[in-house]
Amino acid sequence: MVHNEIHAIDLAIIAAYLIAMVLIGLVVVKKVKSMDDYYLGGRSFGPLVLMATVCATIIGGSGLMGRAGVAYSSGFKAIMTALPYLLGMFIFSGFAGRISDVGRKFNVTSIPDLFEQRFGKTAKVVLGCLIAFTMMGTVASQVTATATIINMLGGEIGISYEMGALIACAVFIIYTATSGLFGVIYTDVFQFVMLILFVYILIPTSSLIKLGGIGNFVQNLAPELAKPYLDGSIVGDIITYFVFTLAGAEMWQRAFAARNRKSAKEGLFLGTLAYGLTIPLVWFMGVVAHQLVSAEKLAQYGSTDAVVPALAIEILPVGLTGLALAGILSVIMSTADSYLIVSVQTCVHDIYKVFNPNISEKKELRLTRVFAVILPLGALVIALYIKNAYSILMFAWSFYAAAAGLPAFAALYWKKATKAACWVSFLFSTLVMIANIFLKSSFPAVLQSPINAGAFCMIAGLVIVPVVSLITPKPDQKLYALRGLLSVEYVVVPQDKMSEFKLTSVEEFEQATNELLENGAKVGADAWQFRVKNQTPHCKFGEQGICCRICAMGPCRITPKAPRGICGCDAHGIVG
């Protein structure tokens, strides 16, 4: 690369962008008052905010740079392989309302939480370990991409690849550790604006101006780059991307974080729609580079994945180049922080807390921030020192999607899904994926890829989960009704009297309750559902101990460290 093509002003803009990410995290830290705030942003996000974070997270480094590289090399394949993910996300947006409802009503915050409710704590811990590794590996891949760009841009001032990786980790750590999902979401919103304005609008528009109009572009476009086609490798990618979409822990987290059912569905749908609009633009940026960037210059970057930054440097003036490159960085960082917050939640809430359930909220929040530092450093080690990290990551993603995908949706929608079905599906996927490592040559050619093997396991789960559920003992109905995840409320009555009782489904009960609340609101009636909103957030002073305001010396809080109030009264005297 010719480093002097990037001006100091461009580097200053990129540095300012990185500083802005840190400042956003530090500013919104005041919003974090509970673990629900840290993991799910207090379940407070509306559709527009969700749209921005969903779109920014979907695109990621592979969705922009990787797919633009595919467009440069293989033309229309970039669009063909993007469409299944788009379709999968549209389908997932239809599920998002149900996910939000279950999360809000039954205090479910993650896929492992859902597994615990339906399949037990062991299933939660096993799945949590798999998610934690998969998410951390994904963070490592984004650290690698970010470090490569920082090194590419700052090489002339002595910023090495290792230093770039360290800078990337430092930025992720500060705004994720301090403010949790609030920091992730609000930086995603900022990054969404950056990438739409300065990547998806600025670069294609400037490219057309540089060429002299769309007519010149079409006239000089190689026919093979615009010709739709379908082959075996594309079909495999289509199945794989579609399957992986439905098991994405980061998108489940976005649905859990929505303000309500409507916000979840609309936010996921709009974010997916915005992503869909970027697909032809990515193809355009990949193929237009043939007309604007010489092959020799692109070769200096080491990979066709660098075609978008190469294009920006070639066609944009000083200042705008910096903004475009900052937008490209934002694409990668928005994905990295999303996977980081999921891995932190999984390690602390879904694994550690199973073995130490009585941990206080204050200690849990402190521990999450410790893990938000440790995990990026682990990702840094993977990015710098572990060879074949990409292969390990693809195996982990394939294994995770195969093991979690179908059981997760069965837990969400099918009350007859059993613990045995979950474990049979998981063990089948485990055996197939391990065999894929050691006996790869024995597999059919199409299944020798771990990605395709994972997709096969998930499709096989469509048979395994229902068949095993139907032939194994049903879930303990009373237990799961209490847990809240079956669609029927069960009552204990004598067997000979059962015919006299009509069971009311949860859905019927909820519908009647909602109608009652709506009618009550019309006449000004009050209800606890309205009052709880007015009392949120709860008083932290009283929530952490016994709060006493009986005498004028108070208020006092009675805790193990302060067992008596100012007047000398203890907890027994206050509540007695």
Side-chain angles (χ1 to χ4, degrees):
M1 171 191 170
V2 181
H3 290 292
N4 59 16
E5 292 183 7
I6 302 176
H7 197 275
I9 294 176
D10 298 320
L11 296 177
I13 290 172
I14 295 167
Y17 160 75
L18 295 175
I19 293 171
M21 294 298 96
V22 172
L23 291 177
I24 291 174
L26 295 176
V27 168
V28 301
V29 69
K30 295 181 292 184
K31 291 179 173 287
V32 180
K33 296 184 172 111
S34 68
M35 293 315 305
D36 199 51
D37 291 339
Y38 191 90
Y39 292 142
L40 299 177
R43 302 184 193 264
S44 61
F45 300 116
L48 293 181
V49 172
L50 287 173
M51 174 195 73
T53 184
V54 166
C55 181
T57 302
I58 291 175
I59 292 173
S62 61
L64 174 63
M65 295 177 65
R67 194 156 284 131
V70 171
Y72 183 88
S73 304
S74 305
F76 212 80
K77 181 179 179 180
I79 292 180
M80 296 298 295
T81 54
L83 292 180
Y85 195 94
L86 179 70
L87 176 61
M89 280 302 302
F90 274 129
I91 294 173
F92 183 83
S93 67
F95 300 139
R98 170 69 174 172
I99 295 171
S100 177
D101 281 348
V102 168
R104 184 172 295 276
K105 293 171 184 174
F106 309 122
N107 198 31
V108 174
T109 63
S110 63
I111 300 179
D113 251 2
L114 183 65
F115 269 52
E116 180 185 22
Q117 297 273 9
R118 291 298 306 273
F119 307 129
K121 289 183 178 180
T122 303
K124 177 179 185 178
V125 172
V126 171
L127 181 62
C129 291
L130 189 56
I131 290 177
F133 174 74
T134 304
M135 297 298 110
M136 193 171 76
T138 307
V139 173
S141 69
Q142 301 302 311
V143 169
T144 299
T146 308
T148 301
I149 291 181
I150 292 176
N151 171 237
M152 182 180 75
L153 302 179
E156 67 173 2
I157 58 175
I159 298 179
S160 65
Y161 171 83
E162 290 76 12
M163 180 61 70
L166 192 59
I167 292 171
C169 277
V171 174
F172 299 154
I173 286 171
I174 293 173
Y175 72 74
T176 303
T178 54
S179 52
L181 192 66
F182 273 121
V184 170
I185 292 288
Y186 286 117
T187 52
D188 276 359
V189 172
F190 182 79
Q191 290 160 345
F192 172 77
V193 174
M194 290 284 294
L195 68 93
I196 293 298
L197 290 180
F198 301 119
V199 178
Y200 288 107
I201 294 177
L202 178 62
I203 295 178
T205 302
S206 300
S207 297
L208 288 176
I209 292 173
K210 185 83 171 179
L211 287 173
I214 193 169
N216 289 336
F217 164 71
V218 173
Q219 182 177 351
N220 296 307
L221 177 63
E224 63 272 15
L225 295 177
K227 181 180 179 181
Y229 69 97
L230 199 64
D231 59 25
S233 66
I234 293 179
V235 172
D237 287 344
I238 287 173
I239 295 173
T240 300
Y241 293 148
F242 178 75
V243 169
F244 283 8
T245 303
L246 303 179
E250 75 288 353
M251 290 304 164
W252 281 68
Q253 186 185 51
R254 295 306 190 272
F256 285 132
R259 183 184 301 149
N260 50 42
R261 180 188 187 94
K262 182 179 179 183
S263 295
K265 294 184 70 171
E266 290 182 356
L268 269 293
F269 178 84
L270 292 174
T272 304
L273 180 63
Y275 161 67
L277 296 176
T278 68
I279 292 173
L281 295 174
V282 171
W283 170 83
F284 173 80
M285 286 186 281
V287 298
V288 79
H290 280 283
Q291 302 177 31
L292 293 172
V293 183
S294 66
E296 294 77 14
K297 183 168 289 187
L298 186 60
Q300 294 173 3
Y301 289 87
S303 168
T304 57
D305 286 356
V307 66
V308 176
L311 183 61
I313 294 169
E314 182 71 24
I315 66 173
L316 295 177
V318 171
L320 290 181
T321 299
L323 289 171
L325 295 175
I328 295 169
L329 272 178
S330 73
V331 169
I332 302 170
M333 296 181 72
S334 64
T335 300
D337 57 28
S338 296
Y339 288 109
L340 176 57
I341 192 67
V342 171
S343 62
V344 169
Q345 178 184 6
T346 302
C347 288
V348 178
H349 180 77
D350 298 327
I351 300 176
Y352 177 83
K353 201 171 179 180
V354 170
F355 302 101
N356 188 10
N358 297 321
I359 184 174
S360 68
E361 191 167 86
K362 185 176 181 180
K363 288 182 180 179
E364 185 180 354
L365 182 57
R366 188 184 304 130
L367 190 61
T368 58
R369 286 173 169 154
V370 171
F371 269 85
V373 175
I374 293 174
L375 293 179
L377 295 179
L380 180 64
V381 171
I382 294 173
L384 294 180
Y385 302 113
I386 296 182
K387 296 180 179 179
N388 299 322
Y390 179 78
S391 299
I392 296 172
L393 175 63
M394 287 299 99
F395 172 80
W397 259 111
S398 304
F399 195 176
Y400 161 64
L406 259 297
F409 279 95
L412 193 67
Y413 279 101
W414 195 35
K415 66 184 180 183
K416 294 183 180 180
T418 64
K419 183 188 296 187
C422 168
W423 282 109
V424 170
S425 178
F426 183 84
L427 291 174
F428 173 80
S429 301
T430 301
L431 292 174
V432 171
M433 296 306 297
I434 291 176
N436 184 262
I437 296 176
F438 298 104
L439 303 171
K440 186 183 292 288
S441 59
S442 302
F443 279 64
V446 71
L447 294 181
Q448 291 184 7
S449 161
I451 298 178
N452 291 348
F456 165 76
C457 291
M458 192 169 179
I459 294 171
L462 288 169
V463 177
I464 294 172
V465 171
V467 169
V468 176
S469 292
L470 291 174
I471 63 176
T472 53
K474 303 300 178 286
D476 185 329
Q477 308 291 10
K478 289 181 294 215
L479 172 64
Y480 285 113
L482 288 174
R483 287 176 174 173
L485 287 176
L486 290 186
S487 60
V488 176
E489 293 280 359
Y490 288 87
V491 294
V492 180
V493 296
Q495 187 68 30
D496 60 340
K497 299 290 186 180
M498 280 298 293
S499 61
E500 301 178 16
F501 289 83
K502 178 182 181 297
L503 301 181
T504 302
S505 70
V506 172
E507 286 79 5
E508 291 172 333
F509 181 80
E510 290 172 351
Q511 182 179 357
T513 301
N514 290 334
E515 290 176 0
L516 181 62
L517 290 173
E518 290 175 6
N519 293 332
K522 293 177 182 178
V523 297
D526 199 7
W528 71 264
Q529 289 93 337
F530 304 140
R531 294 193 294 271
V532 72
K533 293 180 181 179
N534 296 332
Q535 291 296 329
T536 303
H538 298 296
C539 170
K540 294 299 177 183
F541 188 83
E543 196 173 51
Q544 296 174 11
I546 298 173
C547 185
C548 177
R549 300 185 61 186
I550 296 173
C551 72
M553 294 182 181
C556 300
R557 181 174 57 186
I558 307 303
T559 66
K561 292 183 179 179
R564 291 183 179 273
I566 297 171
C567 69
C569 193
D570 63 7
H572 301 287
I574 292 170
V575 302

